[in-house]
Amino acid sequence: MKKRKNHAASRLPALPGFVLAMPLYPSTTINIPGIFLAIFVFSIGFFIQCNVVTSNIGLRFLNITDMLVLMTLPVIALLYIRCLTPSIVLFYLLPLTVLFALTALFADARGDGEFYTTAMTYFYAVYFLFFAYMLFKENLLELFCWGMFAGFIAVTILLFLDIVIHDQLASIGLSFMFDEAGVLELAAKGEITPLLLRVEKAGGIWPVGNTAGPAFALAGAAAAYLAERQRRPALFAVFLLIYLASFTLTLNRSGVFAVLAIGLYFYVRNFSVKMLLSTYFGFALCALVIAAVLPLGAFDFAGEVFSKRFLEDSNSSNNLHERWETITGGFQVMFLHPLGIGFTARYEELARIAKIGTPHNGFMATAYASGLGFCMMSAFALFYAIFRKRKIGFFVYSAIGIIIGYQFEELNFNPVFMAHVGLALAYAAIDLDFRLFLKTTVMRRLGTADDARHREEGIVIGNPGLSPLLSDGR
């Protein structure tokens, strides 16, 4: 009987202890019908990906998630404030607020409008702590991922529609405001603007493809988690096909690398003989389809695009050298201004050191905008999510996508990345809070370890998730 129980427990997912203990966390301060919470969580997931450009329609927010975070933060904080513990306030919210205050007051040479990213980064980090409590307490993480997946499909459709009806989409915030004729006219006069890149690399709702590609790639975290939970790898395969279709317009390689890394980890994490056979037959089917339509020229355009970006890029070696110079110069600027520096000032300073004003690195850009302390907190949370023994797949996939994207572009200003970094910070904070401060209390509430073992059968019947928590609350 005992062996049978242990075998059953071993087959349960190795989830962090706080997830299994969530039924013991305090409930909301106000009783809200579950359907409203579900709609809200799905909507937040949807708009993280399909991030309407609210500044296009005259609002004082760059994107719709910025508006939603600021407007709903008081509500969500009120609902889940009872879940906060003194320890998480002392070791997460307080340091976060102190770091924000320091960079707000003492950052160097911050120009007009350059505080926006700093402020929103802080509010996203606070907001997603309460939002994470909602996801785990109400068991809505999977629905949140469905919202992100739906948002990814919507924003990809908008990317293709942008080619033919840009002005109509931009007028309602469904595309980035972009005057291609004006940009080309300036280029003809020798005035090169950052948006010139959009002429070659479409961005849809984002300024350029180098932003759109990594932002789309983070939806891979939701797709992989859903495929894992549903035990249907085909869900991730569908995401991959849609993403590769979007690549033909964005031409962004870093996003492809991120998606492939997420896919590889998903495959290794969920590997089975059945998955191996499914992969084999899937590739075989794809090969047959490609062989059938290849003579018709259906893949000529896609083939040219992939060849251009991966096989015929003659600037790869120069690009690598330039990246190395900007990264070394970027470190110098970062350590000279540990509390942050304004965008224009650091662009000029880095240009003097490395001849290029951007380090093409999201971690350094985070340090410039929000200070070195917040940068270190973010990096720790991301690597914690990956290397934590007990883990939730979504946060691992998300961390992989962020880390790879950050190696190529300054993406800290993008609200998709702000949201994912905020979730990573919340996940690490809640998990560490439970492991370091709450585990003993939870065990005490359940009784002594011996009594708990005697009552194990009854607890398993009442709440199966608590069984491994009693034996190992890590």
Side-chain angles (χ1 to χ4, degrees):
M1 179 72 176
K2 185 176 180 180
K3 287 183 178 180
R4 202 159 50 242
K5 289 178 186 176
N6 291 338
H7 178 66
S10 67
R11 296 180 61 185
L12 291 170
L15 295 174
F18 80 88
V19 178
L20 306 174
M22 268 293 153
L24 301 176
Y25 278 66
S27 59
T28 55
T29 55
I30 303 172
N31 188 24
I32 303 291
I35 184 64
F36 292 117
L37 296 178
I39 293 172
F40 175 72
V41 164
F42 182 90
S43 300
I44 294 294
F46 180 88
F47 285 119
I48 283 175
Q49 279 297 313
C50 190
N51 222 311
V52 178
V53 189
T54 46
S55 58
N56 283 13
I57 54 180
L59 299 180
R60 296 181 63 84
F61 306 97
L62 293 182
N63 294 92
I64 193 170
T65 51
D66 297 350
M67 181 179 71
L68 289 173
V69 163
L70 291 178
M71 290 181 65
T72 63
L73 176 57
V75 177
I76 195 173
L78 174 64
L79 285 177
Y80 290 92
I81 195 167
R82 295 176 62 206
C83 290
L84 291 183
T85 62
S87 49
I88 207 166
V89 172
L90 183 62
F91 295 105
Y92 177 69
L93 286 179
L94 181 60
L96 190 68
T97 303
V98 169
L99 290 172
F100 170 66
L102 288 174
T103 190
L105 295 173
F106 303 112
D108 297 321
R110 182 175 279 136
D112 292 339
E114 294 178 354
F115 182 65
Y116 185 89
T117 297
T118 305
M120 291 311 305
T121 299
Y122 169 74
F123 286 117
Y124 272 74
V126 174
Y127 182 85
F128 280 99
L129 174 64
F130 295 100
F131 191 82
Y133 279 124
M134 176 185 289
L135 292 181
F136 294 119
K137 182 66 179 172
E138 315 301 338
N139 195 25
L140 292 173
L141 178 58
E142 194 168 341
L143 184 63
F144 174 67
C145 290
W146 278 117
M148 290 183 63
F149 192 77
F152 163 72
I153 293 174
V155 80
T156 304
I157 293 172
L158 292 174
L159 174 70
F160 283 91
L161 289 176
D162 189 55
I163 299 173
V164 291
I165 54 170
H166 167 77
D167 292 344
Q168 294 90 325
L169 292 177
S171 65
I172 55 175
L174 297 180
S175 178
F176 188 82
M177 283 289 188
F178 174 63
D179 181 9
E180 182 174 346
V183 170
L184 291 175
E185 184 179 346
L186 289 174
K189 297 177 181 178
E191 299 179 33
I192 306 300
T193 66
L195 287 179
L196 180 62
L197 190 62
R198 187 185 174 103
V199 176
E200 180 183 6
K201 298 182 176 183
I205 211 165
W206 304 113
V208 296
N210 284 353
T211 303
F216 291 0
L218 288 187
Y225 182 70
L226 291 172
E228 178 180 294
R229 292 283 295 174
Q230 300 288 325
R231 299 186 182 278
R232 293 180 178 175
L235 282 172
F236 188 80
V238 170
F239 163 79
L240 181 59
L241 289 175
I242 298 173
Y243 184 84
L244 292 178
S246 75
F247 172 80
T248 61
L249 296 182
T250 65
L251 301 179
N252 175 258
R253 289 176 292 194
S254 63
V256 174
F257 295 149
V259 167
L260 292 178
I262 291 171
L264 179 60
Y265 184 79
F266 165 74
Y267 197 87
V268 172
R269 176 177 165 88
N270 298 278
F271 180 79
S272 66
V273 174
K274 182 180 178 180
M275 180 178 283
L276 182 63
L277 291 174
S278 299
T279 304
Y280 172 78
F281 287 114
F283 276 119
L285 179 61
C286 289
L288 289 174
V289 172
I290 292 173
V293 301
L294 200 57
L296 304 177
F299 288 96
D300 288 352
F301 173 70
E304 290 174 5
V305 168
F306 279 88
S307 176
K308 178 181 178 181
R309 291 302 292 155
F310 290 100
L311 301 177
E312 301 174 8
D313 188 356
S314 59
N315 193 45
S316 295
S317 58
N318 291 335
N319 187 274
L320 185 62
H321 178 68
E322 289 174 353
R323 292 289 176 99
W324 174 252
E325 285 190 338
T326 56
I327 286 174
T328 55
F331 273 111
Q332 294 182 47
V333 175
M334 182 172 67
F335 289 123
L336 284 172
H337 307 278
L339 295 179
I341 180 173
F343 178 85
T344 302
R346 65 92 170 168
Y347 189 94
E348 295 173 352
E349 187 171 335
L350 185 55
R352 288 195 298 269
I353 298 173
K355 299 180 181 178
I356 297 176
T358 171
H360 289 101
N361 186 280
F363 288 108
M364 291 184 187
T366 298
Y368 302 147
S370 303
L372 185 57
F374 182 81
C375 174
M376 294 176 66
M377 283 183 66
S378 301
F380 170 80
L382 294 171
F383 285 99
Y384 180 86
I386 293 175
F387 293 106
R388 168 83 161 97
K389 185 177 179 181
R390 289 173 171 247
K391 59 190 67 176
I392 301 173
F394 168 76
F395 294 92
V396 186
Y397 302 133
S398 173
I400 291 172
I402 295 169
I403 290 171
I404 292 179
Y406 270 12
Q407 302 312 306
F408 294 88
E409 304 293 340
E410 292 187 31
L411 295 162
N412 64 301
F413 64 88
N414 183 276
V416 180
F417 277 79
M418 285 185 188
H420 280 261
V421 169
L423 283 166
L425 285 164
Y427 172 68
I430 295 172
D431 190 28
L432 284 171
D433 183 46
F434 178 83
R435 295 175 70 187
L436 299 178
F437 303 104
L438 300 183
K439 183 175 65 175
T440 303
T441 303
V442 170
M443 293 293 288
R444 189 179 298 118
R445 286 181 62 184
L446 291 171
T448 64
D450 289 338
D451 290 340
R453 276 196 295 271
H454 289 310
R455 295 200 308 268
E456 183 175 354
E457 185 174 354
I459 291 173
V460 169
I461 293 173
N463 192 341
L466 290 178
S467 178
L469 176 64
L470 292 175
S471 59
D472 184 1
R474 292 177 297 173

